[in-house]
């Protein structure tokens, strides 16, 4: 049996990611390949970025809005993730490769990534002191899990009506589900999209040698 490669350091991951033909997320020394997203996923993500950028131009020009090519670094979990939408309103957070103090994060989820988005990533994101809201948007049906940091801790909300509103307090954004799913052909009720592997561990060769709403 071949020996397992040594875990990557964050700097090794960042260096290799700059040359990698595919995007990979990094979790405490291990890298995980990300496959291309489906049509519904891309349409929803585009709607989110478009609306969020519009809000930043109108009211919060100090805020910067990013799509799925910007990483978020979670120091407590030694992890780099690529959320579908991230917002940063901290003028001191200006690294060219990743954010460390985002205030709003959205993941568009699929059957194959739902567990990661709801458990691993949620637990990691909640440790970011700057984060005010985290939303998980279902790509197949009109449903959003919105988690908001309140005075007593994190609280979760299930949104599944067209007029239900997702809010980003730092950006001043109020977005109803009809706007999020605009132009998206959702699955009919009861239909299930087959899960495909979108998040798999890979060996790096760039260097030789549930919807619980309680705090994690």
């Amino acid at each position: 049996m071949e020996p397992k490669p040594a875990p990557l350091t964050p700097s090794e991951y960042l260096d290799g990611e700059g040359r990698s033909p595919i995007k990979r997320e990094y979790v405490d020394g291990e890298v995980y390949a990300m496959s291309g997203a489906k049509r519904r996923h891309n349409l929803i993500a585009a709607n989110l970025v478009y609306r969020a950028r519009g809000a930043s131009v109108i009211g919060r020009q100090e805020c910067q809005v990013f799509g799925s090519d910007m990483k978020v670094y979670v120091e407590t979990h030694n992890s780099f993730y690529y959320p579908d939408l991230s917002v940063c309103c901290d003028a001191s957070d200006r690294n060219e490769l990743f954010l460390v103090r985002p205030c709003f994060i959205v993941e568009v989820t699929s059957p194959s990534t739902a567990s990661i988005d709801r458990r691993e990533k949620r637990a990691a994101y909640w440790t970011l002191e700057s984060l005010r809201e985290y939303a998980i948007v279902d790509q197949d049906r009109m449903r959003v899990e919105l988690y908001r940091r309140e005075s007593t801790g994190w609280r979760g909300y299930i949104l599944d009506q067209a007029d239900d509103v997702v809010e980003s307090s730092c950006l001043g954004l109020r977005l109803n589900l009809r706007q999020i799913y605009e132009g998206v052909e959702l699955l009919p009720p009861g239909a299930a999209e087959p899960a495909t592997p979108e998040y798999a561990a890979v060996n790096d060769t760039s260097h030789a040698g549930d919807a619980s709403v309680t705090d994690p």
Side-chain angles (χ1 to χ4, degrees):
M1 185 187 337
E2 294 185 4
K4 185 178 180 180
L8 269 67
T9 66
S11 59
E12 288 170 336
Y13 160 74
L14 291 172
D15 181 62
E17 191 69 359
R19 303 189 306 272
S20 174
I22 59 172
K23 290 197 300 187
R24 307 164 309 159
E25 294 187 320
Y26 171 93
V27 181
D28 198 22
E30 301 290 337
V31 292
Y32 296 86
M34 303 174 67
S35 72
K38 296 182 179 178
R39 178 185 293 267
R40 287 189 295 273
H41 186 126
N42 279 294
L43 288 171
I44 293 167
N47 287 341
L48 289 164
V49 172
Y50 171 74
R51 298 285 183 175
R53 284 183 175 158
S56 69
V57 169
I58 293 172
R60 303 289 175 89
Q61 296 183 14
E62 73 277 14
C63 296
Q64 294 185 333
V65 175
F66 301 94
S68 61
D69 284 332
M70 176 58 84
K71 293 178 284 293
V72 168
Y73 178 54
V74 184
E75 183 176 9
T76 56
H77 284 60
N78 189 31
S79 297
F80 289 92
Y81 296 115
Y82 282 101
D84 290 287
L85 173 74
S86 53
V87 176
C88 181
C89 300
D90 188 329
S92 66
D93 189 0
R94 289 296 185 265
N95 189 289
E96 286 296 313
L97 299 178
F98 56 87
L99 303 176
V100 294
R101 287 183 289 277
C103 58
F104 182 46
I105 289 176
V106 180
E107 295 281 3
V108 180
T109 196
S110 68
S112 61
T113 62
S115 177
I116 294 167
D117 294 334
R118 292 190 177 111
R119 296 183 182 184
E120 175 191 315
K121 291 187 178 182
R122 186 180 60 140
Y125 290 152
W126 281 12
T127 67
L128 295 169
E129 293 184 2
S130 59
L131 193 68
R132 312 316 302 169
E133 290 94 13
Y134 171 47
I136 303 173
V137 179
D138 196 313
Q139 73 169 19
D140 296 326
R141 51 193 49 82
M142 188 174 285
R143 186 180 190 276
V144 176
E145 297 173 28
L146 177 65
Y147 298 95
R148 177 177 297 131
R149 190 192 297 270
E150 300 184 349
S151 59
T152 56
W154 286 91
R155 183 174 180 182
Y157 303 83
I158 302 299
L159 312 176
D160 57 10
Q161 301 300 310
D163 291 327
D164 286 346
V165 173
V166 174
E167 181 176 5
S168 167
S169 55
C170 63
L171 188 58
L173 172 70
R174 289 179 57 83
L175 189 61
N176 63 45
L177 269 58
R178 184 180 293 105
Q179 294 169 312
I180 292 174
Y181 289 96
E182 183 178 0
V184 180
E185 184 176 345
L186 297 171
L187 291 179
E193 184 80 2
T196 55
E198 296 183 11
Y199 196 83
V202 296
N203 290 330
D204 186 277
T205 58
S206 61
H207 70 301
D210 82 294
S212 172
V213 298
T214 57
D215 286 359

